[in-house]
């Protein structure tokens, strides 16, 4: 599993045209709804990812306020919140994107895909403040992991490569490679008896009241 330590700096060493082409091609490969490169340029994911790369570069050089300002702007435009301190590998894709949150010490490998409303976050400040200074508070996500809609992966856990985390799952512990996690399915109840007759007494309107 990649640790993503080089992060976007490694991307910046590649020709810019190659990086941008790969980002666009990733969307075309993973989203059947994308029909052209021009259309991909309107995807919230692209705006968030490219803004993040610049913000991360600023963050690493001590320009924390500028990095935060750019991240805030990207969140307003895309609905995706990526902390500039996070490290993200190649061919990363967020489908739809609304309400995705990626914390400061998150590490994401290559070929990872998230759906909307995914949270890669911490377990709470009351626990994080007890950790040694500079320690990791957020997940490490291995290569080729897919995380479904509304799932939350919280704390300094490690998600092994090639794992699949189903929609609305909550992960609080390490997962080995090729893990499968699913949330409990909703129970199907018997259908309502809408044909049942109402008690005639329920139709009596008290004197002086008004039926709507």
């Amino acid at each position: 599993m990649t640790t993503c330590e080089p992060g976007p700096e490694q991307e910046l060493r590649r020709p810019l045209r190659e990086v941008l082409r790969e980002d666009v091609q990733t969307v075309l490969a993973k989203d059947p709804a994308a029909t052209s490169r021009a259309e991909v340029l309107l995807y919230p994911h692209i705006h968030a990812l490219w803004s993040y790369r610049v913000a991360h570069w600023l963050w690493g050089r001590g320009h924390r306020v500028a990095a935060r300002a750019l991240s805030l702007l990207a969140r307003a435009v895309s609905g995706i919140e990526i902390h500039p301190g996070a490290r993200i590998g190649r061919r990363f894709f967020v489908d739809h994107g609304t309400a995705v949150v990626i914390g400061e010490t998150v590490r994401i490998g290559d070929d990872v895909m998230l759906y909307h409303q995914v949270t890669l976050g911490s377990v709470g400040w009351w626990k994080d403040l007890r950790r040694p200074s500079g320690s990791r508070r957020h997940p490490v996500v291995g290569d080729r992991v897919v995380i479904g809609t509304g799932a939350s992966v919280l704390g300094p856990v490690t998600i092994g490569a090639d794992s699949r985390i189903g929609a609305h799952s909550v992960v609080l512990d390490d997962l080995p490679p090729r893990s499968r996690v699913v949330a409990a399915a909703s129970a199907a109840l018997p259908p309502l008896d809408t044909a049942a007759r109402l008690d005639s007494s329920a139709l009596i309107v008290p004197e002086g009241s008004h039926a709507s």
Side-chain angles (χ1 to χ4, degrees):
M1 181 187 75
T2 182
T3 59
C4 311
E5 285 304 319
E9 294 90 340
Q10 188 177 50
E11 297 283 11
L12 293 174
R13 297 191 191 105
R14 301 165 57 206
L16 180 59
R17 181 177 297 181
E18 178 183 332
V19 173
L20 302 183
R21 183 184 297 113
E22 182 176 76
D23 290 339
V24 171
Q25 188 57 42
T26 296
V27 178
L28 289 171
K30 293 184 176 181
D31 187 359
T35 58
S36 69
R37 288 178 172 81
E39 183 181 359
V40 168
L41 296 179
L42 299 176
Y43 271 54
H45 158 76
I46 288 292
H47 296 275
L49 180 61
W50 290 351
S51 298
Y52 154 76
R53 286 206 177 121
V54 177
H56 183 82
W57 185 88
L58 292 169
W59 183 268
R61 284 151 184 79
H63 305 295
R64 299 292 177 93
V65 174
R68 281 289 206 171
L70 183 55
S71 294
L72 182 63
L73 177 61
R75 184 180 70 173
V77 171
S78 68
I80 300 170
E81 180 176 340
I82 307 176
H83 193 287
R87 294 179 183 271
I88 298 176
R90 294 175 60 178
R91 295 176 297 278
F92 175 65
F93 180 43
V94 181
D95 197 8
H96 298 293
T98 301
V100 165
V101 176
I102 298 175
E104 178 185 7
T105 61
V106 167
R107 304 292 181 262
I108 296 177
D110 295 336
D111 302 294
V112 170
M113 182 171 179
L114 311 181
Y115 287 85
H116 52 289
Q117 298 179 333
V118 165
T119 298
L120 303 179
S122 69
V123 292
W125 60 267
W126 54 92
K127 290 188 177 181
D128 291 338
L129 289 178
R130 296 199 295 267
R131 303 185 194 280
S133 178
S135 62
R136 184 165 59 86
R137 309 186 311 278
H138 301 100
V140 167
V141 180
D143 297 337
R144 298 173 299 281
V145 169
V146 177
I147 304 180
T149 301
S152 295
V153 184
L154 305 177
V157 300
T158 298
I159 307 302
D162 300 294
S163 293
R164 299 290 183 269
I165 298 175
H168 305 293
S169 299
V170 177
V171 178
L172 301 174
D173 299 299
D174 292 347
L175 295 177
R178 301 184 62 80
S179 293
R180 300 292 183 269
V181 177
V182 295
S186 299
L189 300 177
L192 293 173
D193 187 4
T194 55
R197 293 184 177 181
L198 293 175
D199 187 335
S200 59
S201 62
L203 301 178
I204 299 176
V205 179
E207 185 177 353
S209 66
H210 299 277
S212 56

